[in-house]
């Protein structure tokens, strides 16, 4: 049986039309006057075909190699054969045509490189960037922090649907006075470095947040959810803790540093968005968990010094835990926070050791605070 | 007598469609890691479909080396981007003004402070762009002879930044100069075996290709002038819309004509010449028809998914409230149906855009290329393999490079 194929030796661009002989001796013979000694023998079990080829009317063949300068482990020679009958015969004779040879030590190389990349990446995300954020957060001038914090609150307001600045901010003379009284009570025996600026936002979400530079926002939903002023005071003390430790500023700096790093790893494939969101969520939670626990501790001590019972704090966390099942928009507050029940327990334990306590503001002031958005 | 070779594209829609679906599914199952192998396999298909004088091109890259290159690149990028972005953000913070007292100029500075982080990525994008082209060249063969590019990515980065800056401050008038010199930089460093490519021609010769961009811009300028001088708002809006669409088509025209010109003025080894006859109309037609088909398919498919899901919910007597109150099996089945259907539609649309837009345009491009003086190709000998390539890990990490 005699057939032909186009042969390239991998060293020159010259095409040789070689005669092919499929022998019974386990080799294919390539015959051409310009080949060394006029003949080459290709063992069937060494022959490899290129993969994922577009043309089924031809087969491009090569030989497996011990080592290769190129990426795949095949020789640089190429033989293209044309014709269905010949292709069928070759496929029948060569057992490992589609085998992909892997160089020795590849597995080791993959594992070490992967390990190094993971370690370096985690170092960056969990050690270097947070440390850098810490440093920057501590050297930023307070007035810059305040200016930035104000624009964060402004943006927040826009996200919740206020088209103009102050649209969603609730204010009434008596309500404001109640907040001022609550703040005065809390800070009477605990010095704060920042001028605190507390706003109530007209939104049903049970949430509160601290922006850089002493900006604290309480949502209307949180005040409505609370059964007593002590509960609101507990949340306020928690947010003051964040302000004082510059957590929001640190968070913003860290977010700027890690922006895009995760999406770089995950890449852009169908379903990648979900994977990315999950990774981001886990990362955020791991960053903030400790800061939240610290803020709780600070809040308990602040309330204790002001002779306000932390029983309100405990009640608030209990009610948060109850809400978890019914309100789908709650996770924003909960996601990065430690388990509500546990936090409630800590507050209860603290309350038992407290001496005489009085409500943070009077009942009349509490009624006025609740009416601040009306 | 000079031998002439015509490019030919042999790829077909169906096998590529299924190759895309198969590799995309694997990518999903393997949480994105298979994407390097997926891209490699698609490339192998497209390269092998491209032939000249009956000899197919060959893509010798592997998914594994792309993956390893990526691992190196993300570490370098994580360090660079993490630190640079944070420093720039910190510098930006110092530009923040109290929103109550900020003037217009302050607000502009503030916005600039936010976008300044983009400039941190810019040099890397250009670096990745050059490296990606270099990697593809290093992994391309024809007749068993390798292509290759010199290791000169940083030179490209500085030149590109300079050229783009000039283009920007001249409002795009110097765009041909940028395209010509950047292409020349890359072409002059490209090799086929031991033979070097060279980019001949003049950058000013690209101006005719800009004509439709100028016409479109003209419409918009006239429109703005009408609005300013005669308050003819309706006419102004109409002219601007016409000008805008004209410019979009003009941009495609420019790219196609520039490609033809630059190809026709490439020389390999001082002896081998090229010719290209890509047609703007074919490219635009393919693109528009493709977009229309994909749009139609996606709207039909999503409507069908929604209707079937809705009917399914109705028939099994499940409603959202019911699912909350405890009859979970039906709701879960329905949710699975929804997710699977959604993913299937997304995959199909991705495969369709590859098969009815990208591949036909590549086919048209390849079919329009001719090589003159092809008899000299026999004298070219092999070049040594490029080992140092990072396998375009940077391009993968920064997600540039598009479909192939």
């Amino acid at each position: 049986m005699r057939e032909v194929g186009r042969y390239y030796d991998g060293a020159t661009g010259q095409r040789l039309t070689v005669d092919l002989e499929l022998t019974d001796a386990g080799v294919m013979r390539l015959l051409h006057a310009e080949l060394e000694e006029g003949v080459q023998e290709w063992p069937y079990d060494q022959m490899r075909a290129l993969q994922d080829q577009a043309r089924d009317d031809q087969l491009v063949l090569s030989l497996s190699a011990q080592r290769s300068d190129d990426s795949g482990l095949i020789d640089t020679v190429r033989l293209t054969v044309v014709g269905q009958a010949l292709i069928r015969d070759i496929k029948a004779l060569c057992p490992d045509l589609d085998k992909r040879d892997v160089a020795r030590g590849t597995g080791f190389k993959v594992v070490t490189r992967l390990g190094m990349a993971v370690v370096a990446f985690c170092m960056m995300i969990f050690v270097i960037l947070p440390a850098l954020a810490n440093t920057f957060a501590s050297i930023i001038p307070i007035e810059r922090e305040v200016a930035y914090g104000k624009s964060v609150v402004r943006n927040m307001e826009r996200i919740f649907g206020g088209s103009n600045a102050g649209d969603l901010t609730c204010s009434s003379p008596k309500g404001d006075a109640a907040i001022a009284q609550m703040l005065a009570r809390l800070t009477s025996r605990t010095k704060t470095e920042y001028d605190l600026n507390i706003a109530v936002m007209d939104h049903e979400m049970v949430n509160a947040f601290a922006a850089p530079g002493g900006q604290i926002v309480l949502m209307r939903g949180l005040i409505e959810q609370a059964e007593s002023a002590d509960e609101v005071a507990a949340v306020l003390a928690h947010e003051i803790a964040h302000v004082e430790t510059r957590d929001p500023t640190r968070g913003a700096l860290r977010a700027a540093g890690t922006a895009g790093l995760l999406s770089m790893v995950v890449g852009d494939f169908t379903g990648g968005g979900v994977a990315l969101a999950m990774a981001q969520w886990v990362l955020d939670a791991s960053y903030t968990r400790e800061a939240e626990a610290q803020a709780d501790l600070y809040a308990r001590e602040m309330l204790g010094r002001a002779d306000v019972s932390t029983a309100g704090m405990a009640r608030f966390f209990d009610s948060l835990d109850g809400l978890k099942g019914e309100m789908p928009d709650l996770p924003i507050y909960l996601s990065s926070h430690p388990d509500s029940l546990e936090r409630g327990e800590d507050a209860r334990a603290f309350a038992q050791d407290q001496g005489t306590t009085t409500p943070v503001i009077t009942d009349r002031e509490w009624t006025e605070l609740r009416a601040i958005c009306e | 007598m000079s031998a002439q070779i015509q490019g030919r594209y042999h790829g077909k829609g169906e096998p590529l469609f299924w190759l895309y679906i198969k590799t995309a599914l694997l990518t999903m199952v393997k949480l994105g890691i298979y994407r390097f192998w997926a891209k490699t396999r698609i490339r192998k298909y497209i390269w092998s479909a491209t032939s000249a004088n009956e000899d197919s091109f060959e893509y010798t890259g592997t998914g594994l080396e792309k993956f390893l290159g990526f691992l190196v690149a993300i570490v370098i990028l994580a360090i660079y981007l993490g630190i640079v972005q944070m420093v720039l953000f910190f510098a930006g913070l110092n530009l923040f003004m109290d929103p109550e007292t900020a003037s217009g100029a302050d607000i502009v500075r503030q916005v600039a402070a936010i976008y300044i982080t983009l400039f941190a990525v810019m040099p890397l994008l250009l670096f990745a762009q050059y490296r990606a082209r270099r990697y593809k060249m290093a992994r391309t063969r024809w007749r068993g002879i390798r292509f290759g590019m010199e290791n000169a990515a940083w030179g490209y980065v500085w030149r590109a930044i300079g050229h783009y800056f000039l283009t920007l401050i001249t409002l795009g008038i110097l765009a041909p100069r940028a395209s010509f010199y950047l292409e020349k930089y890359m072409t002059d460093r490209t090799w086929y075996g031991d033979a070097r490519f060279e980019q001949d021609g003049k950058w000013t010769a690209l101006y005719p290709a800009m004509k439709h961009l100028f016409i479109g811009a003209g419409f918009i300028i006239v429109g703005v002038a009408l609005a300013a001088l005669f308050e003819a708002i309706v006419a102004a809006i109409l002219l601007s819309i016409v000008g805008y669409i004209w410019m979009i088509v003009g941009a495609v025209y420019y790219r196609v004509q520039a490609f033809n010109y630059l190809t026709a003025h490439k020389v390999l080894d001082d002896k081998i010449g090229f010719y290209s006859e890509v047609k703007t109309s074919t490219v635009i037609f393919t693109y528009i028809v493709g977009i229309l088909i994909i749009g139609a398919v996606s709207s039909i498919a999503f409507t069908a998914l929604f209707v079937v899901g809705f009917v399914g919910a109705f028939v099994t007597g499940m409603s959202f409230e019911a699912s909350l109150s405890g009859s979970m099996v039906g709701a879960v089945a329905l949710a699975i149906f929804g997710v699977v259907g959604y993913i299937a539609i997304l995959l199909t649309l991705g495969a369709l855009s590859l098969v009815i837009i990208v591949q036909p345009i590549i086919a048209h491009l390849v079919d329009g290329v001719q090589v003159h003086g092809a008899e000299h190709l026999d004298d070219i000998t092999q070049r040594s393999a490029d080992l140092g390539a990072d396998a375009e890990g940077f391009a993968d990490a920064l997600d540039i490079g598009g479909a192939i």
Side-chain angles (χ1 to χ4, degrees):
Chain A
M1 188 172 64
R2 293 190 86 81
E3 299 275 0
V4 293
R6 298 196 300 271
Y7 173 85
Y8 289 100
D9 64 2
T12 69
Q14 207 183 355
R15 174 196 286 185
L16 298 181
T17 305
V18 296
D19 288 324
L20 299 178
E21 226 179 306
L22 297 172
T23 69
D24 296 329
V27 294
M28 179 171 75
R29 256 195 214 110
L30 285 63
L31 302 153
H32 193 280
E34 286 187 37
L35 288 176
E36 206 176 317
E37 294 175 15
V39 62
Q40 265 189 21
E41 290 190 340
W42 286 23
Y44 291 141
D45 57 351
Q46 303 277 311
M47 286 165 63
R48 301 285 181 268
L50 299 188
Q51 299 296 307
D52 291 313
Q53 299 289 292
R55 299 182 64 176
D56 46 21
D57 59 340
Q58 67 175 32
L59 196 63
V60 185
L61 299 166
S62 187
L63 289 167
S64 75
Q66 286 303 310
R67 61 167 302 280
S68 163
D69 286 341
D70 290 311
S71 25
L73 253 197
I74 52 171
D75 204 89
T76 44
V77 294
R78 294 289 181 271
L79 177 73
T80 307
V81 297
V82 183
Q84 295 303 338
L86 179 59
I87 291 172
R88 201 175 48 238
D89 289 345
I90 290 176
K91 281 185 175 165
L93 286 168
C94 304
D96 294 329
L97 221 45
D98 296 328
K99 183 176 166 191
R100 259 169 291 176
D101 307 279
V102 180
R104 225 166 222 289
T106 302
F108 180 72
K109 199 162 139 194
V110 172
V111 170
T112 47
R113 288 260 198 116
L114 191 63
M116 271 155 52
V118 169
V119 167
F121 200 80
C122 289
M123 273 290 283
M124 198 64 204
I125 283 202
F126 293 111
V127 181
I128 299 174
L129 288 179
L132 209 58
N134 264 344
T135 313
F136 279 140
S138 60
I139 60 174
I140 188 169
I142 283 192
E143 69 273 16
R144 293 293 161 219
E145 224 186 324
V146 173
Y148 174 60
K150 281 185 180 167
S151 70
V152 168
V153 172
R154 177 73 53 82
N155 276 336
M156 211 63 194
E157 209 170 357
R158 257 183 228 126
I159 290 168
F160 285 116
S163 45
N164 291 313
D167 259 8
L168 292 179
T169 309
C170 297
S171 182
S172 73
K174 287 179 175 168
D176 291 349
I179 291 179
Q181 176 55 36
M182 184 186 281
L183 186 60
R185 175 90 187 265
L186 286 177
T187 54
S188 58
R189 287 184 203 150
T190 311
K191 284 267 168 294
T192 60
E193 197 184 336
Y194 288 83
D195 283 336
L196 298 168
N197 189 359
I198 294 150
V200 178
M201 208 179 266
D202 192 6
H203 196 278
E204 65 195 356
M205 198 183 276
V206 184
N207 206 347
F209 62 90
Q215 313 295 316
I216 295 174
V217 174
L218 302 171
M219 301 292 207
R220 171 172 53 80
L222 182 128
I223 295 174
E224 282 168 2
Q225 169 75 22
E227 277 169 25
S228 73
D230 284 4
E231 295 185 30
V232 178
V235 173
L236 190 55
H238 176 94
E239 299 305 330
I240 292 173
H242 282 314
V243 168
E244 287 294 299
T245 51
R246 301 193 169 196
D247 282 335
T249 313
R250 192 174 297 128
L253 279 160
R254 203 173 36 217
T258 54
L261 294 196
L262 276 180
S263 68
M264 211 161 70
V265 178
V266 176
D268 175 32
F269 65 98
T270 311
V274 180
L276 184 61
M278 274 165 59
Q280 190 73 50
W281 185 80
V282 171
L283 184 61
D284 286 346
S286 72
Y287 277 147
T288 47
R289 204 156 260 274
E290 201 186 331
E292 293 305 329
Q294 288 292 329
D296 277 353
L297 181 64
Y298 179 101
R300 286 197 297 270
E301 284 171 359
M302 185 179 223
L303 292 168
R305 274 194 292 271
D307 294 332
V308 176
S309 168
T310 57
M313 192 177 195
R315 229 178 5 258
F316 181 74
F317 285 134
D318 291 348
S319 73
L320 265 193
D321 189 64
L323 274 178
K324 204 158 49 176
E326 330 169 1
M327 281 188 55
D329 57 353
L330 212 76
I332 296 174
Y333 189 81
L334 286 175
S335 64
S336 52
H337 289 58
D339 183 43
S340 305
L341 281 179
E342 208 175 294
R343 302 170 78 187
E345 281 308 318
D346 289 342
R348 227 183 312 282
F350 191 90
Q352 275 166 8
D353 296 337
Q354 275 181 299
T356 339
T357 57
T358 51
V360 64
I361 46 176
T362 63
D363 282 349
R364 198 167 50 82
E365 283 167 329
W366 172 230
T367 316
E368 277 152 5
L369 175 56
R370 286 181 75 91
I372 195 168
C373 285
E374 282 161 15
Chain B
M1 212 345 259
S2 136
Q4 191 177 318
I5 289 179
Q6 178 79 42
R8 245 196 99 195
Y9 191 80
H10 297 269
K12 292 182 211 69
E14 206 189 309
L16 186 60
F17 182 90
W18 291 116
L19 182 63
Y20 178 93
I21 297 280
K22 195 164 74 185
T23 53
L25 279 174
L26 280 167
T27 302
M28 230 159 59
V29 172
K30 300 191 183 181
L31 298 175
I33 289 178
Y34 195 76
R35 65 185 188 273
F36 310 101
W37 281 264
K39 205 169 208 178
T40 301
R41 293 184 67 179
I42 303 265
R43 276 187 195 161
K44 276 186 192 291
Y45 182 91
I46 289 173
W47 263 241
S48 73
T50 305
S51 77
N53 201 17
E54 276 305 293
D55 288 319
S56 295
F57 277 73
E58 181 187 339
Y59 181 73
T60 59
T62 60
L64 180 67
E65 71 170 353
K66 266 177 87 66
F67 178 54
L68 293 177
F70 170 79
L71 289 180
V72 174
I74 52 165
V75 170
I76 295 171
L77 283 174
I79 294 170
Y80 172 83
L81 282 181
I83 292 174
V84 168
Q85 285 183 145
M86 198 184 286
V87 168
L88 285 178
F89 180 76
F90 178 71
L93 273 186
N94 287 311
L95 296 177
F96 264 94
M97 289 291 144
D98 196 319
E100 280 141 36
T101 58
S103 68
D106 289 334
I107 290 169
V108 170
R109 281 204 318 197
Q110 210 157 299
V111 172
I114 295 165
Y115 285 100
I116 205 166
T117 44
L118 287 180
F119 291 104
V121 198
M122 180 77 176
L124 284 176
L125 287 177
L126 294 164
F127 178 80
Q129 199 185 357
Y130 186 94
R131 296 282 284 221
R133 178 151 154 174
R134 175 165 172 238
Y135 171 69
K136 272 185 267 192
M137 284 293 173
R139 295 295 177 258
T140 300
R141 284 188 197 211
W142 184 63
R143 298 177 153 189
I145 304 273
R146 299 181 191 99
F147 285 79
M149 255 168 109
E150 287 161 25
N151 187 3
W154 286 116
Y156 178 77
V157 172
W158 309 132
R159 280 171 184 80
I161 287 175
H163 280 299
Y164 289 148
F165 180 71
L166 270 182
T167 305
L168 198 71
I169 59 169
T170 57
L171 300 175
I173 291 176
L174 283 183
R177 193 169 181 274
S179 0
F180 180 82
Y181 282 114
L182 291 178
E183 179 61 31
K184 182 168 171 58
Y185 182 86
M186 293 199 273
T187 304
D188 290 356
R189 283 157 184 78
T190 303
W191 295 71
Y192 172 62
D194 61 349
R196 198 164 85 116
F197 282 91
E198 217 173 316
Q199 182 68 59
D200 275 351
K202 290 196 302 283
W203 66 273
T204 45
L206 290 179
Y207 273 109
M210 292 273 282
K211 65 184 176 195
H212 289 294
L213 282 169
F214 287 132
I215 293 173
F219 272 108
I220 294 176
I221 291 168
V222 171
V224 171
L226 278 181
L229 297 176
F230 308 106
E231 297 188 349
I233 301 296
V234 176
I237 291 174
L238 280 178
L239 278 176
S240 298
I241 292 173
V242 170
Y244 182 65
I245 294 174
W246 202 299
M247 279 186 86
I248 292 176
V249 175
V252 178
Y253 179 83
Y254 172 72
R255 284 191 64 182
V256 168
Q257 297 306 318
F259 175 81
N260 283 343
Y261 177 84
L262 291 167
T263 306
H265 287 81
K266 280 184 173 59
V267 181
L268 175 61
D269 214 14
D270 296 325
K271 304 181 202 78
I272 301 159
F274 301 86
Y275 179 72
S276 161
E277 45 179 15
V278 183
K279 289 190 187 66
T280 315
S281 55
T282 311
V283 172
I284 290 180
F285 185 73
T286 309
Y287 202 77
I288 290 176
V289 170
I291 293 282
L292 288 178
I293 293 177
I294 289 171
V297 169
S298 80
S299 50
I300 292 171
F302 279 118
T303 312
L305 181 70
F306 182 75
V307 169
V308 172
F310 193 73
V311 170
F314 207 71
V315 168
T316 52
M318 303 296 159
S319 63
F320 189 60
E321 287 82 19
S323 72
L324 279 181
S325 67
S327 41
M328 292 298 281
V329 181
V332 167
L334 212 57
I336 290 175
F337 169 80
V339 170
V340 169
Y342 180 74
I343 289 172
I345 293 171
L346 282 188
L347 287 182
T348 309
L349 294 180
L352 272 182
S353 79
L354 180 64
V355 167
I356 64 178
I357 298 179
V358 178
Q359 176 160 264
I361 290 178
I362 292 176
H364 175 62
L365 214 106
V366 170
D367 288 339
V369 170
Q370 288 162 17
V371 184
H372 301 282
E375 71 278 8
H376 298 293
L377 287 169
D378 287 352
D379 305 332
I380 291 172
T381 56
Q382 187 65 289
R383 61 183 277 110
S384 58
D386 272 320
L387 293 173
D390 63 309
E392 62 182 339
F394 286 95
D396 283 323
L398 295 167
D399 197 25
I400 58 171
I404 0 156

